[in-house]
Structures are given as structure tokens and as C-alpha cells.
Amino acid sequence: VTSLSCFTEGIPLLSVLIFSPLVAAAGAALIGSERLLRWWTFVCTTIIALLSLPLWCRFDANTAAFQFTEQHHWIPSLKIDYALGLDGISLLLVLLTTLIMPLCVLASWNYIKTRIKEFMICLLVMEAAMIGVFSALDAILFFVFWEAMLIPMALLIGVWGGPRKVYASIKFFIYTMAGSVFLLVALIALRLHTGSFSLPGMMGQNYSDGFQYWVFAAFFISFAIKVPMFPFHTWLPAAHVEAPTAGSVILASVLLKMGTYGFLRFCLPITPHATVVFAPYILALSVVGILYGGFTALAQSDLKKLVAYSSVAHMGFATLGIFVLNVNGLEGATLVMINHGITTGALFICVGIVYERLHTRDLAAAAGIGKYMPVFTGFFGVFCLSSLGFPATNSFIGEFLVLAGSFAHSKWITACTIPGVILAAAYMLRTLQKVAYGSTSNPKHHDLTDLNFREIVTLTPLLVFVFWIGLHPQPFVHAMHASIVHVLQQAGQIAAIP
Amino acid sequence: MTSIATFLPELVMLLGALGLFGLTLSDSAGQRARSFALGIAVLAALAALFSLHANGVLFSGAYRVDAFSQLLKFALTGGFAAIVIVSGNLPEIREKIRPEYFLFLTLSVSGLVMLVSCVDALTLVIALELSSFPLYLLVAMRRERTGQRSQMESAIKYIMFGVAANGIMLFGLSYLFGLTGTTNIPLMVAKLTPQIGTPLAIAGLTLTFAGFLYKLAVFPFHFWTPDVYQGASNETTSLIASLPKIGAVAVLVRFVALATPDNHTIATLLTCLAVASMFYGNLIALAQKDLKRLLGFSAIAHAGYAMVGFVSLSEAGYAAALYYITGYMLMVLACFVVISRVSRDGTNVAIDELAGLHHRSPLLAVTLIVGLFGLAGIPPFVGFMGKLSLLTAALAQGHLVLVVIAMINAAIAIYYYLSVVRKAVFGEKSGDNAQPAPIQLDWQTRGLCVGLIVAIILLGVAPARLLEGYGRSVTATLTPPTATVGLVAR
């Protein structure tokens, strides 16, 4: 790995990471054989995942400065640059993205039967845009990647999705687009204040209070829809339920993180005063989201819907952690983002595996498959426990940090959140109990086959991370610590070290 | 001092029109006229490229060849070539009059090509008429369907509105001439500046705008748009919808520049027009079933977006409007290639007829997606960069409310563009005719589709050169030349 790091010295790694999926997509366009297409996409995404490893090895966790920076003029007359860079927060999210993508390809191996070429091209374009969103240091570059994701994602849902795919796809598109139009206005307004679209340049300026409120409101609508926070969440269950497995995984693991990432990257550093003013309301929405997600998940009989609503609850923890505005809360929130990406991604893959065999996602129909699919149940059990925040799994660390942070902020808010944790245990254990030990009277279950090698390979990396973060979270926390402290300094919550 | 290069594109167009006139006299088939017109278009585009850096003042200062005009001439002739390719089979135009069709097409475009160079009110009006009158005829050339004479209704409507708008414009110009004593526009700027705040000057300027706002289909001069789009044949509409807009924006740049940035009256007036156009176009487009009618209303909305650039009354805004409208031409052409190829026997295309397009022709489906998403303003297509530069220019002059309204409109517009895309990509043909025949495309159409897709993406991803080119050329063309008197001086 060290030699790999040396080898990549001097190479613009982030640009390579952004453009190699596009090159791979162009390559995929030329391939005719379906089998070859799957292998090509899998190998390409794996290579991209390996290419992202030097980021982790060469990253200097002791500084909050942006690293691996690249800057070129793009449109000088509008003061738009092609500027890329990573800090501790975005580093983890980029790595999460590159990790998830090969697994998405594996999860769609047999699931996708039509238009495989177009599907793989959509996946690869998504990957480029997602890495771009997390590494852009120019507001317009960020916005371009942010929006460029919409079309492939809407196609993933709308072409390869379930029965109500078109409705879900259009709803997803319109919600996200409607949110982001105001983001663009806010970015232009900021550019006219600071003179350029550079994100670091927009941070730490003394904007007037009124200006900050407007900009924050525009940011908030856009990011809250993406997270999604409580009143803006209605697109999520529809999109998740109808999307193919890979679409659900990308949506849950990466796309939702863009909202919380936006809060961290835009709201806190650029509009610190407005953040403090609006934080109580957002905390309230987060708590409502946690409870609402939990209760709704409890009532679901569709496995995918259940996981989707649990996402609303988990992301509530992430926004809660961000807006308590202390180190524990923010670190917890970032960990929740990563953990949710790993655990919920894995759960969606599991649901996809069930669906491929039973052609239904109904919890009752899946009851008792544990007897015939022991290996699957082992994986599924671990991910369920992880999702409810069982100690020694990843989610425990994240949620614990968030609750510790929120306890320091306000005991009442923490107290209101506790039922959410109990609800998570209730709906996840209920699901696990039914799937693993439910009555086995269903005759369709007799010819069920357990996980094959490909499916085990898909789930194993996620299992490793569940325990790695659960037992030894220090490397991850260390990587983000300096950046988190810096964000809080910019938000005026910690005195800046002279 | 002036070489042939300064007048080469116009010369090619006019000689070509003359050649086509010769063809109309013989009993030749339409296909020959089309090949000839395509040759003219390609030659004219090459000529425009060749004379891109030409500079000079012709005809006693009435005709100015500079970077501004030459860039636009290249865009216009390139668009002309695309339109000739779109006009492939012309199922709606009778075989016998096809040479005439191409003759008028060429004449109209040559009027536009000259329009962008005109710096004298008189030549400008003549060029404007030269570009307009052939269009009236082209609309009426559509084949008559039994019991319907909608093409005639459209043509009459087009003429009536056109003539009325021109009359108002001439009336306004007479005021401006009376105030300044010259028809030369750069001289007008110099003489009008001290008295631009007077009611007479504002009235004259406003009335003059009418003629160009009509071409651009800005509210309240928009009434012809949906009906003419619907009544004219698909190929004719592709011309009406694209190239005249560029000409109108180019002329508007010259006239709006008569007002200075601190002129609140003009700014307010243009703001009202922009807001009304955007809301009117977008809201009515939501309810459309006919794809051409939908594009007609969306054209009104897009004219409103272009006006946002003019509201700023700054050179950055003018350059943004030019960039936007150039991109708009490409996107709308992409849509019309699809319409003309999907249409059966040249009839209008209902949105429902697009169902299953991705099965019938993947390339057309992609072209339509790129065109529509571009119009919706989604990156990385040119529509997004255009909107961004327009909004930046407007916000730089403090028009926050206008910018927010423009973005609200962009959000509304997404819905109807998306519903078209939904039909084309996700929609399946229902009923007995479950699997319609695939659409066969000739190599020219395929090339045009690919070319338009590449251009729309390229201009969206790397807009720097064009945007700066427009910016520099606008600055250069708006600085008055040293010694000209104008064709008519008092």
C-alpha cells in the first residue's frame, strides 16, 4: 500500500477518480456481450475502489486543510474554477462511494435482465457525479455534479424499477430539482458577495444577518429534501420501493449523505449565525423524523419500505448530531452517515436477495426462510442488529456519539430521542424474528437456495466494516477529527486556535 | 481596407438564393433543391468560419462587420445547415413547390445573416423584413388537410401580428430619429444619452422594441407563437423556433444599449415583460398535449429568460442573453429533429405519440432527452450554463426578485419537460399497436443528432470561449465608431 501511495504521487487523484468512471462508461458503450458488460463494470469499479485507497493512505489527518487539491480555471468570465479537494469528512464519503459501487454491480448481476448496457452506463455516470459532489471545492462545480446525478438516478428508478417506477422516478426528480433551484440562487448571491464561486472563499466571511437567513433557508430546503428530513421525506419511500436493488443501495448509501454533507460543508461554515438561530427548529424536526420514521417502520409489511422508513429515522440522528453543534455530535453524525451507508446498503442488498428468490418483498411471505437459508440469515441478523445500534456494531458508536453530543446540548432533546432507539430495536427485531424463526408453512420455501458465492462476496465487505467500525472506530474518528473541529470553529462554536 | 471576406457569408447566401430561384423555374424534383440548399448552408457556414475575424464598415457606415456579427453569422449559418437536414422528406410540402420552399428558407436566413450586421435603422428594418416575409409564405405552404385550413389561419395570424408589430416599431423609430436626427444606431446612442430619461425617448425606445419582441415572442407580442407552431409544418416550425430568435436578440442588444444601467424605467419595463413571459409560457405549457404547441409556449418562457439578461442593462447580461439564445437554438433544433422524424406523414406529434420512442429509435430518444433536459436547465447541458450566466448578470445589478422568479419558473418548467421525457423513455405504447415500427434514420439525420448532442454538452461543459467571445464582441460593437454620419442625417 505504501508503494501504491508513492506511485500515485503527483497524479491528480481526484480527477482520475471522477473521470475514470466516465471512461469506463464509454468503454461499456462499445461492449456487446452482456456477460462481458457485467465483468467490465465490476472490474472497472473495483479498480476505481483500489485507486481511491491511496487517498486514505496519503491523507494527513492532523490538518483541517483541504488535501489533494486541484485548481484550474474553468469559466473565467463567471469566476468559476475547476477546484477539487478533500477534508476528513469528504474523504470518508468518497471512500464509501467507491466501496459501494462494485457491490452494486454484484447485487445487480442477475437482478437486471434488460438493457444491461444502459444500466451499467447509468451506474458509472452516477459514480463519477457522486465522487464529484464530495470533492468539489467550487460551488458551481458542486452544483453541476449534484444535478448531473439526477438524470441517471431517475433513469435507474424509472427504467429498471418496480410497478410504480415512473411515478417514483418523476417524484424523486421533481422534489430534488425544486429544492436545488434555490440553492443556485443562494450560490450566485454568495458569489456576488465574495467575488468568486470558490467554496473555501465563501466560508468565514462576515455576511449580514439578514443575508445569512436567506442563504441558509435556500440551503436548508435543498439539503433537507435530499436528506430527507421529516416534512420533505415523502419521495424517499416511493423511490426506494420502486428502485432496483442497486438503485436503492446507491440512494441509501450515498445520495442521502449529500444532504447532510451539504449541511456540514455549506450551512455551518458559510452561514454560522443563521445556523445557530435555526438550529433549535432543525433539532425539533430531527427528533420528529426519528420518532416518525420509527413508528412508520414498525407498521410496514413491505421489507423495502421498512428499511426506507428506518432510513428516515437514521438520517434524523445524523441531522440531530450536526445541529447540536459540538464535537461529539458532529463526529457522531459523520459516523452515522458512514454507518447508515454500510448497514442500510447491506439491508437493501439482503432484501434484493429475498426478492430475487421469492419475487415478493412481503414480510409475511419471507417469514421462516431462515430455516432454508442459514447463511443469509446470519448476514441479515448482523445487519439488523447493526441497524438498531447493537453494541460492537458500527451504528452503536455513531448513535452513542450523537446522543452524547445532544446530551451536552440539551437533556430534553436526548430524552425525546430515546424512544426512537427503542423503536429501532422493536421494528428490526420483529423483522429479524419473523425472517429467521417465523413459521415455515410456506410451501414455496422448500426449494429455496442459500446464498451463492457472488452474494457472499457482495455482503462480506460490508460485514467487515460493520465490525471494524464497531470495534475499532478510532481510525475513522481520527481522520475526521481535525476537519470537524475546523467546521465548528468556522461556525463559531469553538474558539479558533490562534 | 475591406476585402471580400467581410461580405463572404452574405454573398454565398444570396448567390445560393439566386441559384435556387433558377431551380424553381425548372421542373426539377425537390430533392435536387434540397441538396443544393444543403450545399449553400455548408458553404455559408464555412464562409462564416473563414471570415470570423473579418472587420470593416460597409455601405456608408450602415453595415458593420465585426466579431459580434461574425460569431452570430456562424451560429446562424450552422443552424441553417441543421434546418436543411431536418427538412429531409418534407411530407407536408407538395413536391412541386419544394424548390420554392428551399428558396424562401434561404432568403429568410440570409435576411437574418444581414440583420446582425446592420447598424443603421433603415438597413435593419429591411433585413428584418427580408427575414420575416419568406416565413409568412413558408407557413402557408403546408399541405392542406381535408376540412382543415389551419396553416392558412396560422399564416394570416403570423402576418397580421408581424405587420402590426413592425408598424409600431417604425413609429417608435420615427421618434428616435426625430430626437437624434440620425438613423445610425451608434450615433443615436451618443445623441440620446443626455435625454434618455425624457418620456419621449422612453416611448420611442419602447415602441421600437415591439418589432424585436415580436420576433422573440415576448409577452405581450407572443400571441402568434403557439398557433403558428401548430399550424406550420414541422420543418418550418424548426426554422421559426430557432434562428429568428438569435437575430432578435442581436438587434435587441443594439437597441437596449441605448439605455444606460441607471435607467430604471427601461429596466422596470423589461422586468415586467420578462416576468409575464416566463409565467405565461410556463403555466400554459403545463396543459399542452401537442408537442409543438408545448414548445411554442416554452419558447415564450425562454424569451422571458433571455429578457432577464437585458434587464441587467449590462454587457455581461447581453453576452449571457446571446449565449443563452445560441444554446436555445441548439436545444430546440434537437427537439425538432425528433419531432420531424417521429411524425407520421408530417402531422403534428402529440406527446402521447412519443411512447416507446426508446424502442423505435434510441438515438432520437437520447437527442430528445438532451434537448429537453437542456431546456429545463439541468447541468451539464448548455441550458444550465446559460441560465447561470443570465442570473449572475441580473443579480449583479441587484435584481434579486427577478432572479428568484426566474428560478421558480425553472422549477415549474421541469414538470412539463419531464412529462415529455417520461412518455419518450418510460412510456409504452398501449392498445393493439403494441410494437410500432422502428424509425430508420439516414446518415445525415444521425450525424445531426450526434452533432447536436455533442454541441449541447460541449457548450455546457466548456462555455468559456463562446461566452467570452460574445462578451468581448458585445463590448466592441457597442463602442461607437469614430466617423460615420448615417444613411440619413438631418
Side-chain angles (χ1 to χ4, degrees):
Chain A
V1 169
T2 331
S3 61
L4 194 64
S5 310
C6 296
F7 183 66
T8 57
E9 202 79 45
I11 295 177
L13 256 181
L14 289 174
S15 285
V16 170
L17 280 178
I18 291 171
F19 285 102
S20 43
L22 295 179
V23 174
L30 303 175
I31 297 175
S33 143
E34 294 186 347
R35 196 181 140 74
L36 196 59
L37 263 169
R38 293 191 181 104
W39 276 105
W40 165 262
T41 320
F42 176 65
V43 169
C44 285
T45 47
T46 312
I47 291 174
I48 293 163
L50 292 176
L51 275 175
S52 68
L53 281 182
L55 292 177
W56 175 255
C57 304
R58 278 171 51 198
F59 186 78
D60 178 4
N62 297 316
T63 166
F66 288 103
Q67 299 174 39
F68 312 105
T69 50
E70 296 168 35
Q71 187 156 19
H72 306 283
H73 288 302
W74 182 19
I75 310 169
S77 58
L78 293 174
K79 307 266 193 330
I80 300 172
D81 284 345
Y82 173 82
L84 301 173
L86 290 183
D87 68 354
I89 304 164
S90 44
L91 169 77
L92 293 176
L93 292 168
V94 167
L95 291 173
L96 177 69
T97 310
T98 55
L99 166 74
I100 289 290
M101 288 313 290
L103 308 182
C104 284
V105 180
L106 283 178
S108 339
W109 207 264
N110 292 333
Y111 189 92
I112 302 297
K113 302 216 186 321
T114 54
R115 302 181 161 257
I116 292 169
K117 180 186 286 186
E118 289 85 349
F119 182 83
M120 296 301 174
I121 291 175
C122 278
L123 280 189
L124 290 164
V125 173
M126 284 291 294
E127 177 164 24
M130 291 187 297
I131 297 173
V133 163
F134 291 129
S135 48
L137 286 187
D138 182 275
I140 294 302
L141 191 65
F142 172 88
F143 190 81
V144 167
F145 284 129
W146 172 278
E147 298 272 281
M149 250 161 16
L150 283 183
I151 299 172
M153 191 65 215
L155 288 177
L156 279 182
I157 301 172
V159 176
W160 294 275
R164 295 173 75 215
K165 56 191 181 180
V166 177
Y167 163 79
S169 157
I170 301 284
K171 194 170 182 180
F172 161 77
F173 200 105
I174 289 181
Y175 256 84
T176 319
M177 191 73 201
S180 56
V181 292
F182 297 104
L183 176 64
L184 185 62
V185 177
L187 295 178
I188 297 174
L190 284 166
R191 132 92 165 85
L192 294 170
H193 259 266
T194 62
S196 87
F197 277 112
S198 153
L199 277 182
M202 289 176 180
M203 300 170 184
Q205 306 269 349
N206 279 322
Y207 305 111
S208 69
D209 286 359
F211 183 73
Q212 284 199 25
Y213 295 156
W214 284 111
V215 170
F216 184 90
F219 284 160
F220 175 75
I221 291 177
S222 177
F223 298 140
I225 288 176
K226 201 81 175 182
V227 169
M229 291 190 69
F230 163 64
F232 307 106
H233 66 279
T234 57
W235 63 269
L236 182 80
H240 266 316
V241 170
E242 301 306 327
T245 302
S248 291
V249 174
I250 293 177
L251 202 57
S253 299
V254 187
L255 255 63
L256 304 192
K257 308 302 166 308
M258 289 176 182
T260 38
Y261 173 75
F263 283 133
L264 286 171
R265 177 68 77 237
F266 286 80
C267 290
L268 268 60
I270 296 178
T271 58
H273 177 68
T275 304
V276 175
V277 171
F278 287 109
Y281 306 101
I282 299 177
L283 288 178
L285 284 181
S286 307
V287 174
V288 172
I290 294 172
L291 297 178
Y292 174 88
F295 276 116
T296 329
L298 201 53
Q300 298 307 318
S301 58
D302 181 321
L303 277 169
K304 244 184 172 178
K305 253 192 180 157
L306 190 148
V307 182
Y309 278 109
S310 83
S311 287
V312 176
H314 283 145
M315 293 315 284
F317 274 104
T319 46
L320 179 75
I322 291 172
F323 283 93
V324 297
L325 299 173
N326 55 39
V327 175
N328 276 342
L330 254 69
E331 286 183 354
T334 315
L335 266 187
V336 168
M337 286 155 67
I338 305 294
N339 293 337
H340 178 259
I342 291 165
T343 306
T344 312
L347 282 174
F348 275 122
I349 294 176
C350 289
V351 175
I353 288 171
V354 172
Y355 184 77
E356 273 182 59
R357 285 166 172 71
L358 294 176
H359 304 289
T360 171
R361 293 181 304 258
D362 192 33
L363 184 54
I369 58 174
K371 187 179 169 193
Y372 303 97
M373 300 174 66
V375 181
F376 167 79
T377 312
F379 277 105
F380 187 63
V382 171
F383 293 128
C384 278
L385 290 178
S386 156
S387 180
L388 64 88
F390 198 73
T393 63
N394 53 352
S395 300
F396 174 73
I397 310 289
E399 288 180 17
F400 177 78
L401 278 172
V402 168
L403 291 178
S406 83
F407 198 79
H409 181 79
S410 151
K411 294 180 182 60
W412 286 110
I413 288 182
T414 321
C416 294
T417 318
I418 297 302
V421 182
I422 301 169
L423 280 171
Y427 62 75
M428 272 304 162
L429 288 178
R430 166 178 162 263
T431 313
L432 181 58
Q433 184 256 333
K434 278 210 173 170
V435 169
Y437 309 113
S439 71
T440 54
S441 56
N442 194 335
K444 280 190 194 158
H445 289 181
H446 292 302
D447 43 356
L448 279 178
T449 50
D450 208 346
L451 299 191
N452 58 25
F453 178 68
R454 172 182 59 80
E455 288 161 337
I456 292 175
V457 169
T458 316
L459 290 172
T460 305
L462 298 170
L463 191 78
V464 169
F465 274 96
V466 164
F467 288 116
W468 186 1
I469 301 181
L471 297 171
H472 187 55
Q474 191 50 34
F476 301 95
V477 178
H478 179 63
M480 69 172 104
H481 181 76
S483 306
I484 296 278
V485 170
H486 184 63
V487 167
L488 282 168
Q489 283 167 359
Q490 286 173 319
Q493 298 300 308
I494 302 181
I497 302 144
Chain B
M1 65 170 225
T2 51
S3 67
I4 187 82
T6 49
F7 204 59
L8 196 57
E10 291 88 334
L11 221 49
V12 172
M13 293 293 291
L14 290 175
L15 288 177
L18 208 60
L20 277 169
F21 178 66
L23 276 180
T24 62
L25 300 178
S26 68
D27 273 343
S28 68
Q31 203 51 40
R32 201 171 349 147
R34 183 188 178 235
S35 313
F36 191 77
L38 189 57
I40 299 165
V42 171
L43 267 182
L46 289 177
L49 196 62
F50 171 72
S51 61
L52 204 55
H53 297 290
N55 239 317
V57 177
L58 305 174
F59 310 130
S60 325
Y63 199 84
R64 185 156 163 186
V65 175
D66 55 11
F68 176 81
S69 68
Q70 298 314 95
L71 259 177
L72 290 171
K73 276 174 201 168
F74 180 58
L76 286 168
T77 46
F80 177 43
I83 288 165
V84 176
I85 295 176
V86 172
S87 313
N89 294 326
L90 291 178
E92 283 285 87
I93 311 290
R94 270 180 293 127
E95 175 84 30
K96 221 179 123 194
I97 53 169
R98 279 183 198 163
E100 279 88 343
Y101 175 88
F102 286 106
L103 169 64
F104 290 129
L105 199 69
T106 313
L107 275 178
S108 175
V109 177
S110 53
L112 290 171
V113 166
M114 285 186 245
L115 185 67
V116 295
S117 268
C118 293
V119 287
D120 194 283
L122 287 185
T123 48
L124 195 132
V125 169
I126 293 169
L128 197 64
E129 299 301 331
L130 179 59
S131 72
S132 298
F133 276 89
L135 286 182
Y136 305 146
L137 293 167
L138 285 174
V139 174
M141 274 185 181
R142 191 178 198 182
R143 188 195 300 267
E144 200 171 304
R145 303 212 159 257
T146 42
Q148 284 180 354
R149 305 201 70 187
S150 61
Q151 84 282 12
M152 286 301 168
E153 184 199 327
S154 301
I156 297 288
K157 211 168 204 170
Y158 200 20
I159 294 180
M160 295 306 278
F161 273 103
V163 171
N166 279 341
I168 298 172
M169 177 186 73
L170 286 170
F171 187 50
L173 277 175
S174 72
Y175 273 6
L176 292 182
F177 175 70
L179 280 170
T180 58
T182 175
T183 53
N184 186 290
I185 297 165
L187 283 181
M188 256 185 208
V189 177
K191 295 202 176 162
L192 207 59
T193 309
Q195 45 187 342
I196 187 68
T198 61
L200 200 58
I202 289 172
L205 213 49
T206 313
L207 293 172
T208 309
F209 288 157
F212 319 126
L213 297 182
Y214 154 77
K215 276 261 158 208
L216 197 57
V218 174
F219 183 92
F221 304 99
H222 64 277
F223 287 102
W224 59 273
T225 315
D227 294 325
V228 170
Y229 275 42
Q230 193 180 19
S233 73
N234 297 330
E235 292 78 10
T236 313
T237 318
S238 73
L239 171 63
I240 294 173
S242 53
L243 298 188
K245 316 270 182 206
I246 294 188
V249 168
V251 183
L252 263 178
V253 167
R254 294 197 192 278
F255 273 94
V256 175
L258 289 174
T260 44
D262 50 351
N263 193 316
H264 292 297
T265 322
I266 297 288
T268 314
L269 180 82
L270 294 176
T271 306
C272 294
L273 294 181
V275 171
S277 297
M278 290 189 286
F279 272 119
Y280 181 90
N282 279 327
L283 290 179
I284 299 190
L286 288 174
Q288 297 308 313
K289 300 259 185 298
D290 182 312
L291 187 52
K292 275 201 295 177
R293 241 183 127 74
L294 182 141
L295 285 173
F297 282 108
S298 110
I300 300 172
H302 281 278
Y305 297 134
M307 295 307 288
V308 172
F310 288 107
V311 169
S312 68
L313 293 174
S314 66
E315 275 154 16
Y318 306 149
L322 283 168
Y323 169 72
Y324 188 73
I325 215 74
T326 312
Y328 176 75
M329 175 192 83
L330 294 170
M331 299 182 289
V332 99
L333 280 176
C335 297
F336 274 101
V337 180
V338 178
I339 292 177
S340 68
R341 292 300 179 267
V342 170
S343 130
R344 279 172 291 116
D345 314 329
T347 49
N348 284 358
V349 177
I351 295 172
D352 288 339
E353 282 173 52
L354 289 174
L357 183 63
H358 62 295
H359 286 302
R360 302 177 65 194
S361 168
L363 181 61
L364 284 185
V366 173
T367 313
L368 188 70
I369 290 182
V370 169
L372 289 173
F373 278 144
L375 289 173
I378 291 166
F381 306 120
V382 62
F384 166 72
M385 274 301 163
K387 281 210 179 78
L388 177 68
S389 49
L390 284 173
L391 298 182
T392 310
L395 209 51
Q397 303 293 329
H399 300 284
L400 177 65
V401 179
L402 178 64
V403 167
V404 171
I405 289 176
M407 284 322 281
I408 290 174
N409 270 284
I412 298 173
I414 287 159
Y415 180 78
Y416 61 82
Y417 291 125
L418 212 57
S419 59
V420 180
V421 171
R422 170 166 73 173
K423 268 287 168 228
V425 180
F426 306 139
E428 297 295 336
K429 261 280 203 274
S430 56
D432 45 309
N433 194 7
Q435 271 296 353
I439 301 171
Q440 300 297 335
L441 300 176
D442 53 14
W443 65 271
Q444 289 176 349
T445 313
R446 275 198 302 256
L448 180 63
C449 286
V450 173
L452 284 171
I453 292 170
V454 169
I456 290 170
I457 294 177
L458 206 64
L459 279 183
V461 174
R465 284 193 67 180
L466 185 64
L467 207 49
E468 275 163 30
Y470 275 142
R472 271 198 307 274
S473 64
V474 165
T475 315
T477 204
L478 291 183
T479 47
T482 41
T484 39
V485 276
L487 284 186
V488 182
R490 203 169 47 187

